[in-house]
Amino acid sequence: MDFITVESEGPIQTLTLNRPLVRNAVHGPMAAELATAVAAFEADDELRVLILTGADGTFCAGADLTSMRDPDLRNVVTPDGSGSGPMGPSRLHITKPVIAAIEGHAVAGGLELALLADLRVVASDATLGVFCRRFGVPLIDGGTARLPRIIGLGRALDLILTGRPVAANEALSMGLATRVVAPGGALTAATDLAYSLAAFPQECMVADRAATYAGLDQPLAEALRAEGSGGAPIVEREGLAGALRFAQGSGRHGSFDAQHQ
């Protein structure tokens, strides 16, 4: 990999966007590396949680607009919206948790990469926004699909139409940020969060994650049936063991111990 770094430690993999001279803006070759790395994470049964972050204090400034006129460097834009996405992995199906650790700017296509994550840990001095509004570059990496699902239609349209900057505390208040931490602390906090997720019984957590996303596009009755049918077998495979741990005293008096795989 020339434009990202890939680090694995136990069940956690961290992908770092690494073009700091252009604030980790993504051109075609970098997008291809991102798509390959995310697909490899998805295929590796030993890896449980993915962290996306950026080098040198910036998450991602979006697509590299300076490369758009170079056929060797420009991001791949397909007329029918097929492929993994111009920013790389934005259209890939990921079945395991993804966390974005955001310092500096996560704007335009960088915001869309952050929206790919289930959880976003944001430094208190970070800035998010649809900055590509100013340059006539549309959201084609999931922004219009994911942003309303995460923060609601009204707030999403505010960000999409105006392109205004959003500070970390406002992002937290609207649900765009999951956690706000001190500057420089996003990756550490995201890593701690990743390990806590990796320690849970995995089949149950992954099934609940999948049911949550699927239910967004289903009528309530259908979503309830799908949740029940998907979860019922896991009660036998993981839930009975968990119930036994509870009966033996685990989790009593408000303690929260996820260290059971």
Side-chain angles (χ1 to χ4, degrees):
M1 298 291 182
D2 295 322
F3 306 109
I4 65 173
T5 61
V6 182
E7 299 175 280
S8 299
E9 184 173 336
I12 311 302
Q13 185 167 88
T14 302
L15 302 185
T16 303
L17 285 68
N18 192 21
R19 296 184 73 213
L21 294 181
V22 290
R23 296 190 177 185
N24 301 319
V26 176
H27 58 15
M30 184 179 185
E33 290 187 2
L34 278 170
T36 297
V38 171
F41 162 78
E42 173 66 17
D44 190 333
D45 292 337
E46 298 300 315
L47 296 173
R48 295 184 171 186
V49 184
L50 179 67
I51 299 172
L52 293 176
T53 193
D56 284 13
T58 295
F59 184 73
C60 178
D64 185 355
L65 301 185
T66 65
S67 298
M68 287 187 67
R69 293 185 176 276
D70 186 333
D72 294 325
L73 296 178
R74 66 181 299 171
N75 303 69
V76 177
V77 178
T78 55
D80 61 355
S82 61
S84 60
M87 291 290 290
S90 57
R91 297 175 190 153
L92 295 179
H93 179 61
I94 306 171
T95 62
K96 297 179 283 189
V98 180
I99 303 171
I102 299 172
E103 302 276 353
H105 283 73
V107 296
L111 176 62
E112 293 183 287
L113 283 180
L115 297 177
L116 178 65
D118 305 291
L119 307 172
R120 282 157 292 281
V121 179
V122 180
S124 60
D125 59 351
T127 300
L128 299 84
V130 186
F131 282 17
C132 51
R133 177 60 53 238
R134 298 170 294 173
F135 304 109
V137 179
L139 295 170
I140 52 176
D141 279 276
T144 65
R146 293 191 174 101
L147 195 58
R149 286 170 163 80
I150 294 170
I151 64 174
L153 179 62
R155 285 172 168 154
L157 284 172
D158 175 24
L159 271 58
I160 290 168
L161 295 179
T162 68
R164 68 179 180 85
V166 178
N169 284 338
E170 184 183 4
L172 181 65
S173 71
M174 67 173 64
L176 182 54
T178 309
R179 310 272 196 282
V180 172
V181 299
L187 181 56
T188 297
T191 302
D192 290 343
L193 181 56
Y195 275 107
S196 72
L197 298 186
F200 286 126
Q202 289 297 293
E203 189 177 9
C204 175
M205 184 182 68
V206 169
D208 284 348
R209 176 186 180 274
T212 300
Y213 281 119
L216 294 173
D217 299 315
Q218 297 171 332
L220 179 59
E222 182 180 340
L224 290 170
R225 284 193 299 272
E227 177 193 67
S229 64
I234 301 171
V235 173
E236 296 289 332
R237 292 197 291 267
E238 286 186 344
L240 291 180
L244 178 60
R245 292 198 304 272
F246 174 80
Q248 292 173 340
S250 177
R252 299 293 176 87
H253 309 296
S255 66
F256 193 86
D257 178 10
Q259 306 303 314
H260 299 285
Q261 299 184 25

